[in-house]
Amino acid sequence: MARRNYHHGELRAALLDAAEALVRERGADGWSLREASARVGVSSSAAYHHFASRDALVRALRQRVLGELGERLSQEVGRTAGPEAGADHQRRLVAVGRTYIQWAVEDPSVARLAFGAGAPVTGDPASDSTADSTSDTATPPHPHDVLDAELDRLVEVGGLPAAARPGADFVVWAAVHGLATLLVDGLARLDDPRAVAREAERVVRAVLTGLTHEAVPSQGRPTPHSAHTERRTGRRTERGGEK
């Protein structure tokens, strides 16, 4: 194996790139930290300076993938906003759903890594890495935060009743992720990317319309949560306790 020299921080990024390539080739579980190290021309001991284990590398890759997806969703929402949107208040959320589904269909192995049922959700990638994680770059938004922000905006402009907002993020996510999973697993098929985009729009608009006309149940609604929303709530609680 030809050895390579990396400047500070470059090896961590190279290992993440190698891991992402291996995920596309073999899935989330079909490779080792040693193989990722060999891909970039370093020993596994050098990789351990950045990642304490293969699971730590996978968690860091998942974090990066989710950040890239969040940034992609935000950019698509930004392109959708504008005078041409008119009174179509659902248009921005349609863009979120469509982009999410297109991303999953285009890159199914990485999508499974990010949201797969077997994905480890505990642990903090930063705590597993011995590399200096200080960076001047802004942290990209998590996809769930993008969805939340757009649902909040929809309430503000009168496109969704405030009473329907609690838990609406999980209702929309369930529908969008469900269609993405059906397409990725081959349980549903569409002819071309334009058909995927149209079906994504139909799903999002149908869900939002249903939420708009939903009656408030007397016993209240369930309160779903995810690993991300739990961490986010924990951070808010900690900040509140410091005041």
Side-chain angles (χ1 to χ4, degrees):
M1 177 178 65
R3 300 289 180 177
R4 293 187 57 185
N5 294 321
Y6 290 88
H7 294 296
H8 181 71
E10 289 183 350
L11 177 54
R12 186 178 192 277
L15 288 166
L16 288 168
D17 290 342
E20 188 167 350
L22 285 164
V23 166
R24 290 194 176 98
E25 293 172 17
R26 306 182 197 172
D29 301 319
W31 51 275
S32 66
L33 182 59
R34 184 183 297 275
E35 288 180 280
S37 303
R39 287 271 177 123
V40 299
V42 300
S43 65
S44 55
S45 60
Y48 284 124
H49 286 294
H50 295 270
F51 301 102
S53 65
R54 179 193 177 281
D55 284 346
L57 175 57
V58 170
R59 284 193 291 269
L61 178 58
R62 180 174 297 108
Q63 185 182 52
R64 187 175 80 166
V65 166
L66 289 172
E68 291 171 348
L69 174 59
E71 188 62 33
R72 180 172 171 177
L73 296 177
S74 294
Q75 291 175 355
E76 190 60 31
V77 167
R79 283 191 287 268
T80 301
E84 68 277 7
D88 185 0
H89 300 312
Q90 296 181 350
R91 181 168 175 161
R92 292 163 65 108
L93 276 160
V94 167
V96 171
R98 181 181 62 242
T99 304
Y100 183 103
I101 292 168
Q102 289 172 333
W103 164 78
V105 171
E106 292 166 3
D107 207 352
S109 294
V110 171
R112 288 190 181 99
L113 172 82
F115 294 108
V121 295
T122 58
D124 180 0
S127 68
D128 290 319
S129 175
T130 58
D132 180 7
S133 59
T134 302
S135 175
D136 294 330
T137 59
T139 302
H142 190 280
H144 201 130
D145 294 340
V146 178
L147 175 59
D148 271 340
E150 290 307 315
L151 284 166
D152 290 343
R153 188 202 63 82
L154 191 62
V155 172
E156 290 172 4
V157 300
L160 182 70
R165 176 63 185 89
D169 44 331
F170 283 92
V171 176
V172 175
W173 184 22
V176 168
H177 188 75
L179 176 57
T181 300
L182 289 172
L183 293 172
V184 167
D185 289 347
L187 298 175
R189 292 182 292 276
L190 291 166
D191 295 334
D192 54 55
R194 289 177 298 179
V196 171
R198 291 196 302 271
E199 188 68 6
E201 178 172 359
R202 183 183 184 188
V203 165
V204 173
R205 290 192 186 278
V207 170
L208 293 176
T209 299
L211 287 169
T212 299
H213 295 93
E214 181 184 28
V216 179
S218 59
Q219 70 274 25
R221 295 188 178 93
T223 306
H225 53 270
S226 67
H228 174 71
T229 59
E230 287 175 351
R231 287 193 298 269
R232 187 175 63 189
T233 301
R235 290 195 296 269
R236 288 174 180 169
T237 301
E238 290 172 4
R239 286 197 296 267
E242 293 171 356
K243 294 181 180 178

